[in-house]
Amino acid sequence: MQVIKRKKEINSIVKKLRKDGKKIGLVPTMGFLHEGHISLIEKSKKQCDITVISIFVNPVQFGPDEDFARYPRDFERDRMLAAEKGVDIIFYPEPSEMYAENHLSYVKVEKMEKVMCGKFRPGHFRGVCTVVLKLFNIISPDKAFFGMKDFQQLAILKKMVSDLDIDVQVVECETIREPDGLALSSRNVYLKPEERKNANVLYRAINIAENEIKKGNSITASKNKAVKMLKDCAFVKKIDYFDIRDPEDLKTVKKPDSKKPKILIASAIWFGKTRLIDNKVIEV
Amino acid sequence: MQVIKRKKEINSIVKKLRKDGKKIGLVPTMGFLHEGHISLIEKSKKQCDITVISIFVNPVQFGPDEDFARYPRDFERDRMLAAEKGVDIIFYPEPSEMYAENHLSYVKVEKMEKVMCGKFRPGHFRGVCTVVLKLFNIISPDKAFFGMKDFQQLAILKKMVSDLDIDVQVVECETIREPDGLALSSRNVYLKPEERKNANVLYRAINIAENEIKKGNSITASKNKAVKMLKDCAFVKKIDYFDIRDPEDLKTVKKPDSKKPKILIASAIWFGKTRLIDNKVIEV
């Protein structure tokens, strides 16, 4: 396994590999790898000849009051895990390698970046789109693997790829969960033991909403029942949103529509000082 | 020479050509070809194995009150000219082929897109960057050729390519001029005969500013002298700007700086109902 820190170097390595007919898979990460990332790596290894993972805590997607500085990092552990899982190349650039001091160019997927998490994290998806486009240009993968846990990110990136004719296939991968249902996230390490015990309330609330909708109850009533469950949990300090939306364009769904049977239930809540997100796409 | 209207089709053609080791040159145009475009085609033919030109009047870069509808078009003439000059492929898509109905993704080069023409044409460079990135992704050229007449466009695209790690070499080409100095532009056909006779005042004003600066006069005094010349011309209805700037980051230059010997003199004026732009990069 190679660890590459320079854009030019990885670019020339993957160019050679592509010339030799190798299919390149990319798993973009911010490091602190967990089973969710591992499942992406395994999928890439099944579908591609060469698996590249990027480890880069992207400053541009963090707001000024967010957790960029304290975001968990442990490169040695990540390196060992990646090697063990058969990753071929880790791309591990410094922020100064990724962004020139006078960086001015950004990609936006308008409208979709303003709702859900975008409403509470202004500029976040602009940062995500920009870094992912850069990684695509540097590594030119055939396929890129993203988890459904960050569903809005996935929907926005799929839209960006389609709108901008980017020649990369986005592969979406199921959310990996703890036995109690909590979605895996690098940020789960922030949770105190008591918080951790109760954190699956988010997944349980989403499941409640799912059941209510499937029983034929209205979107509003279903959502209210789920929100009540969240509010009744003492550890939930704030509900950023609990939304029922179209999983493709992220527009609000007011009523189930038989022509669009798929519905996204997505929520973000504050568990103490930790922001948790989760979602589920259901079929009605 | 092939004329291709579909993204998928040209993408698979150029992919095959690249695999065969051919260097691809792209000349993006809005059609109504003139000697300026021809010089770009000739440069591409010298430097690349295959020359693709795109002909696409990009709706996204026109403001609601601008000349999108009346922008001059003559595909038959363009096709003959291109064939005569040895173009290999014309990419000639419909707007609906380039933009899905629900297109949402855009690229911006912040700050640089707000000054000069960007101040008077809000959204223009967002449209230019977006369509050029799309063309790059569809055609994946090794080199792309742009004229210096649209200097701000060139500076912004170079910045976009560098910031977003786009693997295309931008080749800048000298402005081609009529014998009296008027820069070639598809929009020159809008000029009435009397206007046409006087239209080189823009180039003459830029040359005045150049001479004044080179004589050691201040930027302000040099600019004032040029602006006076423009104001004295009865055909000049409005001066959008007459700016002295750094040709790389487009920041205003207040004083010549020996560490940055290159200076951009650029202007946009209204000649009757026709907007003319021109510029010159000088060395002091």
Side-chain angles (χ1 to χ4, degrees), chain A:
Chain A
M1 187 182 72
Q2 287 178 284
V3 177
I4 309 287
K5 298 185 75 118
R6 296 285 172 197
K7 299 190 283 193
K8 270 200 181 162
E9 198 185 343
I10 192 159
N11 185 260
S12 72
I13 291 171
V14 291
K15 259 191 190 152
K16 204 191 158 305
L17 289 165
R18 281 202 111 179
K19 224 181 188 169
D20 295 345
K22 303 290 187 203
K23 287 251 174 271
I24 317 281
L26 171 66
V27 180
T29 84
M30 300 210 298
F32 215 70
L33 304 181
H34 53 62
E35 286 300 320
H37 300 110
I38 304 298
S39 78
L40 304 180
I41 291 170
E42 284 167 353
K43 209 159 191 172
S44 170
K45 287 197 59 79
K46 263 189 206 141
Q47 298 185 16
C48 304
D49 304 309
I50 298 288
T51 292
V52 180
I53 76 167
S54 58
I55 296 183
F56 181 60
V57 185
N58 174 33
V60 180
Q61 73 190 63
F62 287 81
D65 299 325
E66 291 184 358
D67 57 344
F68 174 68
R70 69 170 187 135
Y71 192 88
R73 295 159 168 93
D74 187 345
F75 181 69
E76 242 349 273
R77 186 176 150 279
D78 289 344
R79 199 185 56 74
M80 275 158 55
L81 249 171
E84 195 182 294
K85 296 298 170 186
V87 166
D88 299 287
I89 304 171
I90 299 182
F91 179 49
Y92 181 52
E94 293 290 326
S96 60
E97 174 72 6
M98 286 298 277
Y99 296 103
E101 224 177 284
N102 58 344
H103 183 98
L104 294 173
S105 308
Y106 297 94
V107 190
K108 269 189 189 178
V109 177
E110 297 180 356
K111 290 181 185 163
M112 290 172 77
E113 60 140 34
K114 292 286 185 205
V115 299
M116 298 167 62
C117 288
K119 201 170 153 186
F120 297 89
R121 305 186 67 188
H124 171 63
F125 291 110
R126 182 188 82 143
V128 170
C129 287
T130 302
V131 81
V132 169
L133 181 62
K134 282 168 67 70
L135 290 170
F136 284 180
N137 287 335
I138 294 163
I139 295 163
S140 62
D142 297 274
K143 296 187 180 194
F145 298 81
F146 295 91
M148 292 179 79
K149 199 270 268 166
D150 300 306
F151 192 90
Q152 185 175 14
Q153 166 177 289
L154 179 66
I156 285 175
L157 291 174
K158 277 161 69 179
K159 183 68 177 145
M160 173 181 87
V161 162
S162 152
D163 277 354
L164 298 181
D165 304 299
I166 297 168
D167 202 1
V168 174
Q169 191 190 331
V170 171
V171 182
E172 46 192 83
C173 308
E174 288 294 328
T175 301
I176 307 296
R177 299 179 181 283
E178 300 282 3
D180 72 346
L182 177 68
L184 292 198
S185 163
S186 304
R187 287 188 172 99
N188 291 351
V189 294
Y190 297 155
L191 294 167
K192 291 174 191 158
E194 275 309 294
E195 291 171 344
R196 171 63 194 85
K197 271 187 209 159
N198 291 273
N200 74 349
V201 67
L202 179 56
Y203 187 53
R204 286 187 283 123
I206 288 169
N207 285 331
I208 287 276
E210 175 183 14
N211 289 338
E212 294 298 305
I213 293 168
K214 282 185 170 166
K215 272 197 262 171
N217 288 323
S218 76
I219 295 284
T220 312
S222 306
K223 175 178 158 166
N224 287 346
K225 200 154 175 185
V227 167
K228 188 178 178 312
M229 178 184 244
L230 291 172
K231 283 186 174 163
D232 286 348
C233 173
F235 294 94
V236 176
K237 295 299 168 215
K238 192 174 163 257
I239 301 169
D240 273 354
Y241 63 86
F242 191 101
D243 283 4
I244 320 282
R245 294 183 177 265
D246 179 305
E248 207 167 306
D249 59 21
L250 304 183
K251 284 184 184 162
T252 304
V253 171
K254 297 212 167 114
K255 244 199 265 204
D257 176 351
S258 60
K259 274 177 255 151
K260 291 183 166 186
K262 287 192 175 175
I263 289 180
L264 168 70
I265 306 169
S267 179
I269 61 174
W270 284 90
F271 229 68
K273 287 182 179 168
T274 307
R275 192 172 184 271
L276 299 176
I277 62 173
D278 202 352
N279 69 81
K280 200 168 185 178
V281 177
I282 66 169
E283 206 146 336
V284 288

Side-chain angles (χ1 to χ4, degrees), chain B residues 1-4 53 55 75 79 82 87-92:
Chain B
M1 187 183 72
Q2 288 178 282
V3 177
I4 310 287
I53 75 168
I55 296 183
F75 182 70
R79 199 185 55 73
V87 166
D88 299 286
I89 303 172
I90 300 183
F91 179 49
Y92 181 52

Side-chain angles (χ1 to χ4, degrees), chain B residues 53-177:
Chain B
I53 75 168
S54 58
I55 296 183
F56 181 60
V57 185
N58 175 32
V60 179
Q61 73 190 63
F62 287 81
D65 300 324
E66 291 184 0
D67 57 344
F68 174 68
R70 68 170 187 136
Y71 193 87
R73 293 159 169 93
D74 187 345
F75 182 70
E76 243 349 275
R77 186 175 151 279
D78 288 344
R79 199 185 55 73
M80 276 159 53
L81 249 171
E84 194 182 296
K85 295 299 170 186
V87 166
D88 299 286
I89 303 172
I90 300 183
F91 179 49
Y92 181 52
E94 294 290 326
S96 61
E97 174 72 6
M98 287 296 278
Y99 295 103
E101 226 176 282
N102 59 343
H103 182 98
L104 293 174
S105 308
Y106 297 94
V107 190
K108 269 189 188 177
V109 177
E110 298 179 356
K111 289 181 185 165
M112 289 172 79
E113 61 142 33
K114 292 286 184 205
V115 300
M116 299 167 61
C117 288
K119 200 170 155 187
F120 299 89
R121 305 186 67 188
H124 171 65
F125 290 110
R126 182 187 82 144
V128 169
C129 287
T130 302
V131 81
V132 169
L133 181 62
K134 281 168 69 67
L135 290 170
F136 284 180
N137 286 336
I138 294 163
I139 296 163
S140 62
D142 296 275
K143 296 187 180 194
F145 298 81
F146 294 91
M148 291 180 79
K149 199 269 268 168
D150 300 306
F151 192 90
Q152 187 175 11
Q153 166 177 289
L154 179 66
I156 286 175
L157 291 175
K158 278 161 67 178
K159 183 69 177 145
M160 174 181 87
V161 162
S162 152
D163 277 354
L164 299 181
D165 304 299
I166 298 168
D167 202 2
V168 174
Q169 190 189 332
V170 171
V171 182
E172 45 192 84
C173 308
E174 287 295 327
T175 302
I176 306 296
R177 300 179 180 283

